[in-house]
Amino acid sequence: MRSPRSLAWRLVVTTVALVAVAALLMGGATALAMRGYLTDQLDDRVERGLDRTVAALTEDGPGPHGPDRGSGQDEDRPGRGPGLGQDVGTVWAVYLDSGDRGGSRISTTAEGAPTSTALDDDLLDELAKVDGAPRSVDLGGLGGYRTAAEDVEGGRVVYALPADEVNRTLRSLVGWEAVLGLLAVTAAGVLGLLVVRRQLRPLNEVASTAHAVAALPLASGEIHLTERVPERLTDARTEVGQVGAALNTLLDHVESALADRQHSEQQVRQFVADASHELRTPLATIAGYAELARRRPDDAAAARTALAKVEEESRRMTSLVEDLLLLARLDSGRPLERTPVDLTRLLLEAVADAQVVAPEHRWRLELPAESVEVLGDEHRLHQVVTNLLTNARKHTPAGTTVTVTAYRGAAPGATGFAVHDDGPGFPPELAGRAFERFVRGDASRNRAGGVGLGLALVQAIVSAHGGRVELTSRPGDTTVRVSLPPAAPR
C-alpha cells in the first residue's frame, strides 16, 4: 500500500472513487427530484393563491388602491380583500389597462398580527415582467419568489410566494447528502483497505514463493527447486489459484530444464575427457615412434616400423576427429541432403561387405518383395547401416546370427530397417546409455572395441533425418530398429 502503483492501492482508490461518484450521482439525482417535487408543490400553491386573489379582486371591484385592499381591516370583514387567507410573505400586484398599478406584501406586526405593506416602484417594475405560467424571479431584498400572472377584465393580476422554504429544504438535503456521502467514502476507503489486503494475502504468498526461487543460485551446479506454491493456493477456479498453478508448472519446467542442463554439462565434461583420452593415446604413440626413429637414424627397419605406426595412429585420429566433427555439425542443426535413397540396395551392399569382413558370423537379409525407398542422405545412411553391422560384429562372438530386415508401410515410422542378433546383448547398466557418446561396454578402453561413437553417430544421423532409433536388448535377443521418412511414391 506504500506505492501508489501497487495493485492494493489502485483497488482501494478505484473503490473509493466509485463510491464517491455513486454518492454524487445519487445525491444530485435526489436533490433534483426533491427540487422538482417542492417546486411543483409551490407552483400549485401559487396558482391556487392567484385564483383566490383574482376572485377577491373581482368581488371587491377593480382598482388597486381600495381602502380595504389587502389591509388588515379585511380580517373584520370575512371574505373581503385579496390579502385574506394568504401566507406571510405573499406578494400580489394589479396592473390596470388604464396604467394604474399597485400591490402589497403580507407580513406580520410586532405582536404577530398579519398586515400588508405596499410595494415600491422597483418591485412593481420587476413583477410587471411576469407573464403566464409560474416562474422564478428575484425581488431584491425580498429574496427569491415563485410568481404567476393572470389576465382579468380591465388589467392583469400577479401573485408570488417566497421560495425560501424550498431553498432551505434543498440546502438541508444537500448538506445531509454531503455528510453522508463523506461518511460513505470514508467507510469505503477503510473497509476497502481491509478487504483488499485480506483478499490479496494469498497473492502475497505466491509472490513470496517466486522471490524465494529468485534468490536461489541457479547459474551452475546441481539445483533442487523445492519451493512450490501451497496446494490450497492452486485452485484453478480462482484468479490467485490460476497464478499459483501456473507458477508451480513454471517451476516444474525450470527444474526439469536445470536438470537437463546439469546432465548436459556433465556430458560435455565427460565428452571432453573421453575425447582427450582417445586423442592422447595415438599422440603418445606417434611421439614415441618419432623418438625411436630419431634415436636410430641408421636403422632402416626401425624407421619403417615407426613410420607405419605413425601412419596408423594418424588414420585413427583422423577417423576420430571426423566423427567428432560430424557430431558437432549434426548438433548445430546443419541440414543433410534429402534425396530418394534405395534402402534395399544399400542394405544388400552393406551385408555383402560384412560377410567378407566377418565370415565367422552368419549374416541374413530379409527384404520385402518391392524395393524400399527412403528420403535422406545416402552417404550418411550408409554410415548408419555400416556402424550398426560393425557394432554387431565386434560385440558378438563368432557363430552369432545377425539378421537385417527392411520394412515399409504407409503409417508414420513404418518404413526403415532393423538389425537383430542372438548374441549376449547389452549389459543392463549400459542399455539405457548405449547411444551416448564414448559409451563402451569395456571400461578398460580396449581400443579394439572402438571409441564409443558408433551408436552415437547412428542416433544423431537418424534424428537429423527426422527418424528415430529404438534399442531392445536381452541375452540372445538384441534389436536395433531404425525408422526413416519414406520417399514420395513415383
Side-chain angles (χ1 to χ4, degrees), residues 77 96 149 168 278 302-303 342 405 432 455:
R77 297 188 298 163
L96 298 179
R168 284 195 302 270
E278 295 298 338
D342 189 347
T405 304
L455 292 182

Side-chain angles (χ1 to χ4, degrees), residues 202-427:
L203 189 59
N204 292 332
E205 294 186 40
V206 175
S208 299
T209 302
H211 286 306
V213 174
L216 295 176
L218 305 178
S220 61
E222 189 173 0
I223 308 297
H224 295 288
L225 294 179
T226 58
E227 296 288 342
R228 290 295 187 276
V229 177
E231 186 176 356
R232 60 186 173 81
L233 300 179
T234 57
D235 188 354
R237 294 173 297 180
T238 65
E239 290 78 3
V240 175
Q242 293 175 8
V243 175
L247 181 58
N248 280 349
T249 302
L250 176 62
L251 292 178
D252 291 339
H253 290 331
V254 170
E255 185 176 29
S256 177
L258 292 174
D260 291 342
R261 185 204 64 186
Q262 176 67 11
H263 181 67
S264 177
E265 290 178 353
Q266 291 177 346
Q267 281 187 319
V268 169
R269 287 193 289 268
Q270 186 65 36
F271 177 81
V272 172
D274 291 338
S276 301
H277 179 87
E278 295 298 338
L279 289 173
R280 183 178 61 182
T281 302
L283 285 174
T285 302
I286 290 174
Y289 278 101
E291 179 69 15
L292 175 65
R294 186 181 64 80
R295 290 185 178 183
R296 298 180 181 180
D298 299 329
D299 190 342
R304 286 193 299 271
T305 301
L307 289 175
K309 294 299 293 184
V310 167
E311 183 179 5
E312 178 183 352
E313 295 302 326
S314 297
R315 286 196 300 268
R316 189 184 301 275
M317 283 196 304
T318 300
S319 176
L320 174 60
V321 171
E322 287 179 349
D323 288 345
L324 292 175
L325 181 60
L326 176 59
L327 284 172
R329 289 175 175 174
L330 294 174
D331 289 343
S332 65
R334 182 172 298 184
L336 298 175
E337 183 180 358
R338 293 299 181 95
T339 58
V341 177
D342 189 347
L343 183 62
T344 300
R345 179 181 60 81
L346 192 150
L347 293 177
L348 280 170
E349 294 176 355
V351 172
D353 294 340
Q355 287 176 335
V356 174
V357 174
E360 68 278 6
H361 283 68
R362 293 191 293 270
W363 301 91
R364 297 178 57 188
L365 182 61
E366 298 178 358
L367 301 174
E370 297 182 1
S371 177
V372 178
E373 287 192 351
V374 295
L375 190 64
D377 187 321
E378 182 174 2
H379 176 68
R380 297 305 174 197
L381 291 178
H382 183 273
Q383 187 175 2
V384 169
V385 177
T386 302
N387 284 2
L388 290 176
L389 296 184
T390 300
N391 188 75
R393 171 174 58 83
K394 288 184 176 181
H395 298 286
T396 57
T400 300
T401 299
V402 181
T403 303
V404 180
T405 304
Y407 52 89
R408 59 180 298 173
T415 300
F417 67 97
V419 178
H420 173 271
D421 68 72
D422 56 3
F426 286 80

Side-chain angles (χ1 to χ4, degrees), residues 464-489:
H465 281 81
R468 67 176 185 274
V469 183
E470 300 173 325
L471 169 66
T472 57
S473 178
R474 58 178 181 270
D477 183 12
T478 299
T479 302
V480 179
R481 184 183 179 93
V482 177
S483 300
L484 297 167

